[in-house]
Amino acid sequence: MDFLVLFLLYLALVLLGFVMICLASKTHYLQGLISRGAQIFSYIIPECLQRAMLRVLHYLFHTRNYTFVILHLILQGMVYTEYTWEIFGLCQQLEFSLYYLFLPYLLLIVNLVFFTLSCVTDPGTITKANELLFLQVYEFDEVMFPKNVRCPTCDLRKPARSKHCSVCNRCVHRFDHHCVWVNNCVGAWNTRYFLSYLLTLTASAATMAVVSTVFLVRLVVMSDVYLQTYVDDLGHLQVVDTVFLVQYLFLTFPRIVFLVGFVVVLSFLLGGYLCFSLYLAAINQTTNEWHKGSRAWCQRCPHTARPPAAEPQAYRNIHSHGLWSNLREIFLPATARYERKKK
Ligand SMILES: [Zn+2]
Ligand SMILES: [Zn+2]
């Protein structure tokens, strides 16, 4: 019982942490809460340690580096090693279909292709040579993207929907976000690879979760453990229940149960993020615009102080032209075709 409670608590904390991080970037109240938390920590932790932590955080999140790419490959490698080492052989003994068992490998290969493409493809770097071309692609909405604004770092005119990435130190066309997991910006030319990467990663985690769970369920059904009884700490005879079964499976196959827990949580997190990304793709909005748009919306909210004379500037998405047109824009970016022809 203790183990299950601790395990569920651990899963709940991981999920809660993730949701908090997602919400923190959106809500002023949570931002304040986090900065107050950081202030309290600054009294407890010695200054030299704080500086070292800041340096590490700066290196990890504000410079281009391969730490998360390597971590990604290590985690993927560990999950697939465990799958090959234990689950694959045991499933074969239980006469699982081979198509079913090879599906995670197929998804891994496709995923690695899109992962590499997301990492190495130019997201749409704006240069002196292509500046004029990019300026013609999108209309300026004069709220989020005003006309005739120059990037002070690159000294280039900023096309609508572009943003300067401080990590990569370049302006990127149709900037979505900088992703540490692929160590690259996600922009006009690689959003299609990033979405395909996310889709195949979610699919491979979900397939792995289904195969491993079906394996454990079939094992329980075949072994008849659920029909048996056991004597508890107080000496009473008890019928085997779910809690007992999970504990029994954890003691018999600790690595497989841990893997199931990991891939199930991962499937939900990735699935949630995938749905969000697909929703933004369908309405032709970038993560950057979604983030800025929510702030524009917040400025009209009565809790936020703003000059009384200021007109509320409502953000309106002017780039959506229907679902298929929006998806075509991501999967067949016009400027990428133009650049290829030029070469
Ligand atoms: Zn710039
Ligand atoms: Zn970047």
Side-chain angles (χ1 to χ4, degrees):
M1 183 69 193
D2 293 343
F3 154 75
L4 195 67
V5 171
L6 277 174
F7 189 66
L8 289 176
L9 208 69
Y10 161 75
L11 290 186
L13 274 175
V14 170
L15 270 172
L16 189 76
F18 188 79
V19 173
M20 287 281 276
I21 289 168
C22 289
L23 285 175
S25 58
K26 298 285 292 173
T27 328
H28 296 290
Y29 175 72
L30 273 174
Q31 274 175 355
L33 209 71
I34 286 172
S35 69
R36 271 198 295 277
Q39 238 171 11
I40 295 168
F41 266 110
S42 70
Y43 295 125
I44 305 167
I45 300 170
E47 212 170 303
C48 57
L49 207 66
Q50 278 179 46
R51 256 178 303 187
M53 267 163 63
L54 285 176
R55 232 175 290 143
V56 171
L57 286 176
H58 175 79
Y59 173 75
L60 287 178
F61 296 102
H62 294 284
T63 63
R64 279 193 91 177
N65 65 83
Y66 286 95
T67 315
F68 286 94
V69 173
I70 294 165
L71 184 67
H72 179 295
L73 292 173
I74 289 175
L75 282 174
Q76 214 166 18
M78 277 165 67
V79 167
Y80 271 88
T81 306
E82 171 56 23
Y83 179 74
T84 313
W85 196 259
E86 270 192 307
I87 303 172
F88 192 87
L90 290 168
C91 284
Q92 260 187 320
Q93 283 172 25
L94 293 182
E95 292 174 350
F96 274 57
S97 156
L98 273 183
Y99 294 116
Y100 193 43
L101 292 181
F102 275 113
L103 190 61
Y105 293 114
L106 180 72
L107 286 167
L108 174 72
I109 294 167
V110 182
N111 176 250
L112 286 178
V113 170
F114 285 119
F115 178 62
T116 313
L117 283 171
S118 306
C119 293
V120 300
T121 307
D122 179 0
T125 309
I126 300 165
T127 59
K128 278 260 183 294
N130 62 23
E131 182 191 14
L132 277 174
L133 170 76
F134 282 135
L135 279 164
Q136 293 157 16
V137 179
Y138 294 116
E139 261 181 83
F140 290 91
D141 60 7
E142 298 300 338
V143 177
M144 206 178 275
F145 301 105
K147 227 173 189 169
N148 298 323
V149 174
R150 288 191 92 83
C151 170
T153 320
C154 309
D155 194 31
L156 293 167
R157 279 172 69 195
K158 274 183 152 181
R161 311 190 81 184
S162 67
K163 191 183 181 289
H164 182 86
C165 174
S166 56
V167 181
C168 306
N169 199 25
R170 61 181 172 193
C171 272
V172 173
H173 181 55
R174 201 189 186 279
F175 179 86
D176 193 275
H177 68 287
H178 179 90
C179 177
V180 289
W181 294 101
V182 297
N183 190 28
N184 199 0
C185 293
V186 178
W189 295 346
N190 66 348
T191 302
R192 51 192 165 157
Y193 300 136
F194 184 75
L195 283 179
S196 310
Y197 152 72
L198 203 59
L199 184 77
T200 47
L201 190 67
T202 312
S204 78
T207 314
M208 191 81 86
V210 170
V211 172
S212 326
T213 312
V214 170
F215 160 73
L216 290 178
V217 170
R218 208 181 266 192
L219 200 80
V220 169
V221 172
M222 283 176 71
S223 64
D224 289 349
V225 188
Y226 64 100
L227 294 175
Q228 290 167 20
T229 50
Y230 67 98
V231 180
D232 68 5
D233 296 340
L234 303 168
H236 303 303
L237 203 65
Q238 298 279 357
V239 183
V240 166
D241 53 6
T242 319
V243 176
F244 183 89
L245 274 178
V246 173
Q247 271 179 298
Y248 164 78
L249 286 172
F250 187 77
L251 290 174
T252 326
F253 303 103
R255 285 186 298 271
I256 297 178
V257 173
F258 195 76
L259 180 114
V260 170
F262 180 69
V263 287
V264 165
V265 171
L266 199 67
S267 303
F268 278 109
L269 293 180
L270 287 172
Y273 183 53
L274 177 70
C275 289
F276 171 67
S277 301
L278 289 177
Y279 162 72
L280 288 186
I283 62 163
N284 203 340
Q285 200 177 37
T286 62
T287 309
N288 177 42
E289 289 158 2
W290 173 77
H291 192 74
K292 278 186 175 174
S294 71
R295 262 186 294 176
W297 173 78
C298 253
Q299 273 165 14
R300 295 196 286 163
C301 139
H303 306 297
T304 320
R306 68 180 165 85
E311 277 291 308
Q313 288 200 308
Y315 163 68
R316 197 169 55 84
N317 181 5
I318 58 165
H319 305 292
S320 181
H321 304 290
L323 178 67
W324 293 116
S325 168
N326 294 346
L327 292 180
R328 200 175 56 228
E329 194 182 301
I330 288 172
F331 287 94
L332 295 166
T335 43
R337 289 202 300 270
Y338 173 85
E339 285 280 301
R340 256 201 310 274
K341 258 186 239 162
K342 223 172 50 177
K343 279 170 195 162

